Amino acid sequence: MTKAIKLLTALPSPQRERLMALAREVSFPEDARIFEAGGTADRFWVIRSGAVSLDQRVTPVQRVTVASLGSGDLLGWSWLFPPYQWDFGAEAFSPVRAYEFDAAQVLRLCDEDPRLGMSLVRHVAEILAHRLELTRGRLMEQYGHRRRSVL
């Protein structure tokens, strides 16, 4: 299994400093919707404190939590890939403080500094791979158990 990494601690210091120059401190109250699936993905966050639930709508009124994120975790990756729309929704599970990054500014910085761009994309890919493995494991636990009981 891949190891969980934190984006800001994974970046080399000079690259982290360049990225952090674009950061804006924000906060979300408990139960605030941060974004909705299908919305425009034009920013991302690194959580400083609190907890965020990523969810997927399964019916017009029901959402299923697919992941929980906390301190140091990256919130949002859809800003990197066309069509730049959120794949999930996100809600503050508790009061949240975060660094917010404007995607257009970060992408310009990545164009100016290809080493930073490659490092950022590589670390985001590692984060996504880890989350995919965790999700796969949860699905195997949930549905693998059901299949054995049916047999």
Side-chain angles (χ1 to χ4, degrees):
M1 177 176 270
T2 59
K3 181 182 155 211
I5 67 165
K6 306 295 184 185
L7 180 64
L8 294 180
T9 56
L11 289 172
S13 181
Q15 294 174 352
R16 181 176 50 251
E17 289 171 16
R18 290 200 72 201
L19 181 64
M20 288 304 295
L22 302 177
R24 183 172 78 98
E25 292 189 33
V26 297
S27 60
F28 301 99
E30 183 175 351
D31 297 327
R33 289 300 292 173
I34 300 170
F35 56 83
E36 293 288 348
T40 301
D42 59 358
R43 62 198 68 244
F44 67 96
W45 301 264
V46 174
I47 300 169
R48 295 181 59 211
S49 64
V52 173
S53 298
L54 291 179
D55 56 48
Q56 182 68 56
R57 188 178 294 276
V58 291
T59 69
V61 294
Q62 182 186 11
R63 300 176 197 268
V64 174
T65 298
V66 296
S68 296
L69 306 177
S71 182
D73 285 333
L74 171 68
L75 172 60
W77 52 267
S78 298
W79 60 276
L80 266 174
F81 308 103
Y84 309 107
Q85 293 180 327
W86 299 118
D87 287 315
F88 301 101
E91 185 170 314
F93 187 72
S94 68
V96 170
R97 292 176 45 222
Y99 294 117
E100 181 178 83
F101 298 88
D102 178 271
Q105 289 181 338
V106 172
L107 291 171
R108 273 193 299 278
L109 179 62
C110 291
D111 285 342
E112 293 168 9
D113 183 348
R115 292 182 87 176
L116 170 63
M118 184 61 184
S119 184
L120 183 65
V121 169
R122 189 180 87 239
H123 291 306
V124 170
E126 288 179 43
I127 291 166
L128 294 176
H130 178 72
R131 290 184 188 169
L132 183 60
E133 285 185 26
L134 290 176
T135 301
R136 181 178 162 269
R138 283 193 298 265
L139 288 171
M140 293 299 290
E141 286 175 9
Q142 184 176 357
Y143 293 105
H145 175 69
R146 287 184 184 173
R147 182 180 170 133
R148 281 191 295 268
S149 21
V150 171
L151 300 176

